[in-house]
Amino acid sequence: MKNKYDILIIGGVAAGTSAAASALRENPSLNVAIFQKEPYISYGGCGLPYVLNGKVKEVDDLFAFTSEKFQEKKGAEVYTNYEAIDVDFEQKYVLVKGNMDRRKIFYDKLIISTGASPIIPKFDVWGQEGIFKMRNPSDDEEILNFIEKNKPSHATIIGGGFIGVEVAEVLIESGIKVTLIEAKENILGDIEPEIHDEFSEYMIKNGVDLKTESMVENILKKERFIVKTEKESIETDMIIISIGVKPNTDFLLNKNVNMLKNKAIIVDNYMRTNIEDVYAAGDCATAYNILSGEDEYIPLGTTSNKQGKIAGKNAVKGNVEEFKGVIGSLITKFLDMEYAKTGLTYEKAKELDYNVGSVYIKAKARAGYYENAGNISFKMIFDRSTGKILGGHFVGKEIHSRVNIIVSLIYSCGTVQELYNMDLPYSPPFSPVWDITLIAASKAMKKVK
Amino acid sequence: MKNKYDILIIGGVAAGTSAAASALRENPSLNVAIFQKEPYISYGGCGLPYVLNGKVKEVDDLFAFTSEKFQEKKGAEVYTNYEAIDVDFEQKYVLVKGNMDRRKIFYDKLIISTGASPIIPKFDVWGQEGIFKMRNPSDDEEILNFIEKNKPSHATIIGGGFIGVEVAEVLIESGIKVTLIEAKENILGDIEPEIHDEFSEYMIKNGVDLKTESMVENILKKERFIVKTEKESIETDMIIISIGVKPNTDFLLNKNVNMLKNKAIIVDNYMRTNIEDVYAAGDCATAYNILSGEDEYIPLGTTSNKQGKIAGKNAVKGNVEEFKGVIGSLITKFLDMEYAKTGLTYEKAKELDYNVGSVYIKAKARAGYYENAGNISFKMIFDRSTGKILGGHFVGKEIHSRVNIIVSLIYSCGTVQELYNMDLPYSPPFSPVWDITLIAASKAMKKVK
C-alpha cells in the first residue's frame, strides 16, 4: 500500500471497478487503488434477489472479480475492509480505517464511488435473527441460512420498490407466504395508475398479501415477529426491509461537497463534483435526467457502470467524455408478469408544462393465433402539440422488445408519427402484424394537432 | 353485386381487407367491394407454417374474418371465387370471372391487392400427391392430411428463404427428417456471413440436412420421390416448394402499368400506380426502401397491412397519407435460435457508397449469472464518417428486444454514439448490465473518425 496514488478510488462495486478499469485502459502506467469497505468487490447487486430462488445458482456467481483477480487482470491495487472516514480536499488525502489501522492516503485525482446503503427504520428488533435487508451478498447468505434453519411459512417485506417486488417473487417461488407493506398508495415508485393496478392485481392473485398506504409503526418480537401498522398487526416469521437506499456519503458531510437533500453527491456531465480533482459516480451520486433537466437520484446498476467508466477516463485524460444522462428506464418482473417504464409519467410531463396526451392500449405480444400469445398493456405519453414521445409504460409479456423502442425514440426526440412509420420486424412468434407500439402510435396521431 | 363501385378492390387478404376497412372508416356511405379469387379472405399467411406443428391450433384460427363477418363488421361487399382476368383503364372496369359468370365491374377508384403466388418450377411431378407449396390455408390442410395418411419419414424442402426455414422447423418438430435445398450459397437471402454460419450450423446440429449451392434439376416419382441435383439424388416422401413468390399481376400485362422486372406494380408513396385512379398495395406491389432509395419487392405481412390501409384512405380522401417506406426488417426462428435483421448488409452499404464499418459482438441475452442466459451474436453496420447506424444483424436468444432498438435508430438517423448513450432498462432476467447493443456501440465508436 502506497501513501499516494495517481487515482484513488473509494468504493469498489460497480462504479469503482469500472472507474479503475477505465483509468488503466487509458494509461496502464498509473498508480490506481481501490479502497473498499466490504471484504469483497465487484458484484452484481441487481442479481441478489435471484439467489434466493435459485435463478442465480450461488452467491459466488454474482462476483465478476475477486480482489486478487481484479488486481491481476486490471492492474489496480485493491484494499478491502478499508472504510473512508474522513477526507481533506486541501491536502488531498482520504483517511481510511482498516481492521487494525488508519491511514492517510493521498491522491492526485479522487473518485468517490461509495455506493448506497439501505435505509433501516429505527426499530428495536433490528439486528435480531430473522430481520434482513437485501443489499449485499452476505444478506443472501443470511436469508438462505435462516430459511433453511427455520423453515419460515410467512415473510413480510417492508417497502414495495423494485427490490421489494423482486424479493416477493423469489419468496413466493420458494413456497413462503408473503405480505408486502408499502407506505405510499402504490408500489414501484412513479408508475401510471392503470399499469400499477394490473401489475399489483397480478401479484395479489399470485399470493402476495399487498398492503399499500400502510406505514409500519413498530415491530415486536415474541414467538414470531409482530409488524404493527396503524391499521393492523401482522404475525410473521421473517422480515425484509427494502424501503430505499441512501448514499454512503457521511464522511463527506461538512466538506462543502454539493449534494442533494438526500446527500447524493451532485456531479456534472463529466462526473466532476464541485471540488477540484474529485469525481463521483454510481449510487452515491446524482444522474442527470435529460427529460426533467434535473440532477436526480436514480441509483441503478447500468448508470453506475457507465458513470464509473466515464469518471475513470476523465480522471486520466481531462474531461473528454460526457455522461449524457438518463431518462428513468426500468424493467422488472413478478413471476410471468413484466413491468417496464421509460421516460415521463403523465403527471410528471404535466408538471414540466408539456401539452400532455396519452393513449392506453391492450394487445397481444404475439400473433393472436400463435401459441402462448400473452397480453400487453401499454400507456404512451406524448406531447399533443409536437407529437414528441415522452414516456412508455408497459405491463405484460415480452415487453422488453417494446420498451426498447420507446427508449430509442425518446433519445432521438422521435414523434408518434415517426413511430407509426417504422418497419418493425414481424413474425407470428414475435408480434402481431400490428405491434402494440404501432397501434398506440396510430391512436396517438389522432390526438396530436 | 352492383356493376359499379366507388371503390373496387381486387384481392382480399392482408392489403385488400385493410384497404376496404380503411376506406369505409373514412366514408361509411361509399360502395366498396372486394373480389377475391380464393373461397376465403383475410387470413394470416405468415402463420401458415405453424399450423403444422400445432403452435397454431387450427387453420381456422388464421382467419381474421369470414367473408360474411367482414361484410357485416366493415360494410364492404365481398365476392369470393372471382378472379380478375382483364382490365380496361379507359372505360374503368375490371373483368372478373366467377365459377359460372364473367362480368365487367366498373369503378371510380381501383385498388389492386392481388398478392403473390409461389414460384413453382416446371417439374412433371407437380400436382402429384406429396408435393406441396406453402402459401394458402388449403396447403396446410393438404400437408396435414398427407402426413396423417402417409406418415412420411423424410421431407425435402426446396428453397431456403424464411418460409423454407420455418417449414423445416415445424417438420422437424413433427418428427420428420428434413433435407433443405437452396440454390444459392446461403439461406435466408441477404444475410451477413457470420450470422448465416451460426444460424445454419444450429439448423444442421438440430437435424436439418442442409444443402446449399444445390440446384434441383429434376424430380422423379417412383416408390418415393427422387430429387435430383447436379450433385446427388435424394429419396424423399414429400416435397415442399418454397423458392419465392411472384406478384399476381398477369391480368395487367400489356396495360402500360409500370412494373419491376418481376412484374411487381410500382407504386409511389401514396400507393398510386402510374394509371389514374388506380392504387396497388401488398404483395403485388413494390415497397420503397428508405435506405437504398429504390422501389423494391419485399413482400411482407406488415407492409401489406400498412400499404392497404393507406391505399384505402387515399382512394377516398385524395392523397393525404404517405407510406414512408421500409428498411428490410425481418425476424424468424428455428427452434430455439432466432434470426433478425434490419437495414443494410455490409455489402449493400458498400454498394451505396457508405464509408462502411462493422462490429461483430457476442454477448449474453441476460445477466451471465441468471438462469438460461442465452447467447446473442450481433453484427452492426454503420458509416465510419458519420457514425450513422445502417444495419443490425442478430442471431441467438431474445433478439427481438435488440433488433427493435436498431430499427428505431435507423429511422431516426441515430449514430453509434447516440446508441451508446442510451438508458436502456436493465434487470438480470432481461439483459446484462452492458447490453450487447451498448457494447457494439462502444466498439463502433472507436472506428468512427
Side-chain angles (χ1 to χ4, degrees), chain B residues 180-198:
Chain B
L180 178 60
I181 301 176
E182 165 61 46
K184 299 208 195 79
E185 67 184 355
N186 62 272
I187 56 171
L188 292 169
D190 284 340
I191 185 169
E192 289 298 326
E194 302 92 330
I195 301 289
H196 175 266
D197 290 352
E198 275 195 58

Side-chain angles (χ1 to χ4, degrees), chain A residues 52-69:
Chain A
L52 300 183
N53 65 346
K55 300 280 181 188
V56 177
K57 279 203 186 131
E58 293 179 47
V59 175
D60 282 354
D61 294 345
L62 296 179
F63 291 97
F65 289 100
T66 60
S67 304
E68 295 70 33
K69 206 82 193 162

Side-chain angles (χ1 to χ4, degrees), chain B residues 361-389:
Chain B
I361 309 288
K362 289 166 182 278
K364 291 284 178 192
R366 306 174 176 182
Y369 51 71
Y370 193 87
E371 189 179 61
N372 298 326
N375 295 311
I376 305 181
S377 297
F378 171 32
K379 187 164 178 184
M380 184 165 70
I381 313 298
F382 54 93
D383 185 274
R384 296 183 62 185
S385 310
T386 61
K388 197 176 143 184
I389 295 170

